[in-house]
Amino acid sequence: MNSGKILQLDRNHPLIAEELSARGFQIYDDFSSNYDEVLKKINDFDGIIIRSRIPLDENFLENAPHLKFIARVGAGMENIDTGAAGRLGIALLNAPEGNRDALAEHVLGMLLTLMNRLIISSSEVKNGIWLREENRGEELLGKTFGIIGYGNMGKATAKRLSGFGCEVIFHDIVSGLGDRFAKQVSLEELQNQADILSLHIPLSAETRYLINEEFIRKMQKPFYFINTARGENVNTADLASGIQSGKIKGAALDVLEYEKSSFENLKAADENLQFLLDSKKVIITPHIAGWTRESKEKLAKVIVEKILKLYSGTLAGD
């Protein structure tokens, strides 16, 4: 039996505490203390389970001498100083396998809603306006769907597209990822061919503001844009300009540059965000791609499995 002490800093599916407790771990919850308050007691814990509430920076990690792992109930790890964690020998666990299917369905839902003007036409009918010609949509059939980032999320999205009769291409910095659902291409080829662009990349120094005026200009066709990755992958001012010019035919955004690091709310709006909020060419959801009842349980199961694997393998005998 294990006797590791684990601190949960966010509310997660009860399965995590139940399963780990049954295997001898001591689970402690703290859903309200701030950074400094948690820092004072982190010395007592062997593991942390988080989503995004508190940043785990170098200072925090250096004050956690017994910490063996950090488990994030989600995919992105930008809230953790991964370099410091590696230097200190702290294992990092995440769970993209748990919400990839929910995210892929969200991508398809937003795109079909956008291309077929479903929100606009439904709102008009509810307000007594019956317009047919003005609400002609576009079909996915025959389009080229471009993906940037072909990890768990990109692959799940490509798989969902397999029945829509569109060509799926992707670009990734790792080579040799092509499969029966999508063909790997250069970034230039993707920019030449894509009618639709979907982001599935982490946030890093290299990917911050990847989608900017220059990138949009290099896209050879007017295109639909989808972002379920991170808000700061996109320069919002340039996105707004692309929509206004018609180069971007519409945008489906589940994430925004204006989100706070906890993802729970937004910073103050500016004219660019206000443009997106007002535009009929834009759909915005509150960072809920991958946020389903099913994925909540799947994420929990993946995290439990990875923690148990860690303790039965590399940490055995500690």
Side-chain angles (χ1 to χ4, degrees), residues 292-309:
T292 62
R293 292 179 175 86
E294 293 85 354
S295 71
K296 185 176 183 180
E297 182 172 351
K298 290 179 187 177
L299 286 165
K301 287 181 177 179
V302 171
I303 284 298
V304 168
E305 288 170 1
K306 290 187 176 182
I307 291 172
L308 295 179
K309 183 177 179 180

Side-chain angles (χ1 to χ4, degrees), residues 205-218:
E206 293 73 29
T207 64
R208 181 173 273 105
Y209 299 142
L210 174 68
I211 306 303
N212 56 21
E213 188 278 332
E214 180 183 7
F215 188 103
I216 294 168
R217 176 170 46 80
K218 288 182 177 178

Side-chain angles (χ1 to χ4, degrees), residues 27-39:
I27 310 300
Y28 297 83
D29 295 335
D30 186 341
F31 306 141
S32 60
S33 292
N34 61 28
Y35 175 98
D36 291 329
E37 291 167 337
V38 175
L39 188 64

Side-chain angles (χ1 to χ4, degrees), residues 45-115:
F45 292 94
D46 303 291
I48 301 176
I49 299 175
I50 64 164
R51 288 206 310 268
S52 302
R53 189 171 67 82
I54 290 179
L56 305 186
D57 57 17
E58 183 176 25
N59 175 64
F60 186 99
L61 300 180
E62 287 182 341
N63 282 277
H66 301 118
L67 200 60
K68 295 180 174 68
F69 73 87
I70 300 167
R72 179 159 192 274
V73 187
M77 304 290 274
E78 69 273 8
N79 214 38
I80 304 166
D81 188 328
T82 56
R87 176 172 57 80
L88 295 167
I90 301 169
L92 299 178
L93 311 174
N94 64 344
E97 306 91 339
N99 63 348
R100 61 190 174 191
D101 296 318
L103 182 138
E105 291 186 12
H106 195 93
V107 169
L108 265 292
M110 286 200 300
L111 180 61
L112 294 171
T113 297
L114 189 65
M115 293 179 69

Side-chain angles (χ1 to χ4, degrees), residues 4-288:
K5 294 177 67 175
I6 299 175
L7 179 63
Q8 281 203 108
L9 292 177
D10 298 273
R11 296 184 188 278
N12 294 299
H13 195 287
L15 180 151
I16 293 178
E18 292 168 3
E19 293 287 331
L20 293 176
S21 295
R23 287 162 175 80
F25 290 92
Q26 301 173 60
I27 310 300
Y28 297 83
D29 295 335
D30 186 341
F31 306 141
S32 60
S33 292
N34 61 28
Y35 175 98
D36 291 329
E37 291 167 337
V38 175
L39 188 64
K40 290 177 182 177
K41 63 182 180 181
I42 195 57
N43 178 61
D44 294 334
F45 292 94
D46 303 291
I48 301 176
I49 299 175
I50 64 164
R51 288 206 310 268
S52 302
R53 189 171 67 82
I54 290 179
L56 305 186
D57 57 17
E58 183 176 25
N59 175 64
F60 186 99
L61 300 180
E62 287 182 341
N63 282 277
H66 301 118
L67 200 60
K68 295 180 174 68
F69 73 87
I70 300 167
R72 179 159 192 274
V73 187
M77 304 290 274
E78 69 273 8
N79 214 38
I80 304 166
D81 188 328
T82 56
R87 176 172 57 80
L88 295 167
I90 301 169
L92 299 178
L93 311 174
N94 64 344
E97 306 91 339
N99 63 348
R100 61 190 174 191
D101 296 318
L103 182 138
E105 291 186 12
H106 195 93
V107 169
L108 265 292
M110 286 200 300
L111 180 61
L112 294 171
T113 297
L114 189 65
M115 293 179 69
N116 291 283
R117 299 174 61 85
L118 299 184
I119 292 176
I120 296 169
S121 58
S122 177
S123 177
E124 288 175 349
V125 171
K126 289 181 178 182
N127 285 283
I129 302 169
W130 188 273
L131 299 174
R132 298 185 67 224
E133 186 60 38
E134 293 84 350
N135 282 307
R136 277 192 188 272
E138 289 190 65
E139 297 176 12
L140 263 174
L141 181 67
K143 300 289 194 302
T144 298
F145 191 106
I147 294 171
I148 297 183
Y150 207 60
N152 279 280
M153 308 305 177
K155 289 178 180 179
T157 299
K159 184 177 181 180
R160 293 303 182 284
L161 288 162
S162 61
F164 282 88
C166 56
E167 180 182 8
V168 184
I169 60 176
F170 72 90
H171 173 72
D172 196 292
I173 58 174
V174 178
S175 60
L177 297 178
D179 55 28
R180 64 191 180 97
F181 299 113
K183 181 177 77 169
Q184 188 160 10
V185 299
S186 68
L187 183 59
E188 181 181 10
E189 189 173 349
L190 184 144
Q191 289 173 317
N192 286 339
Q193 295 183 21
D195 299 291
I196 301 154
L197 176 65
S198 187
L199 290 191
H200 299 280
I201 53 178
L203 179 62
S204 66
E206 293 73 29
T207 64
R208 181 173 273 105
Y209 299 142
L210 174 68
I211 306 303
N212 56 21
E213 188 278 332
E214 180 183 7
F215 188 103
I216 294 168
R217 176 170 46 80
K218 288 182 177 178
M219 293 289 288
Q220 295 303 301
K221 304 177 186 177
F223 66 100
Y224 288 98
F225 176 66
I226 311 163
N227 188 13
T228 55
R230 289 292 184 262
E232 289 187 22
N233 292 138
V234 180
N235 182 305
T236 307
D238 294 345
L239 173 65
S241 295
I243 295 170
Q244 289 171 314
S245 72
K247 186 63 176 288
I248 298 176
K249 299 164 74 172
L253 310 172
D254 183 56
V255 291
L256 293 167
E257 182 182 352
Y258 304 88
E259 288 179 81
K260 293 186 177 180
S261 60
S262 66
F263 305 138
E264 293 300 323
N265 43 41
L266 297 179
K267 304 171 187 175
D270 63 13
E271 61 182 7
N272 296 307
L273 176 57
Q274 195 59 51
F275 169 79
L276 298 180
L277 296 174
D278 293 339
S279 175
K280 289 186 175 182
K281 295 182 179 180
V282 179
I283 293 173
I284 301 175
T285 53
H287 205 133
I288 56 170

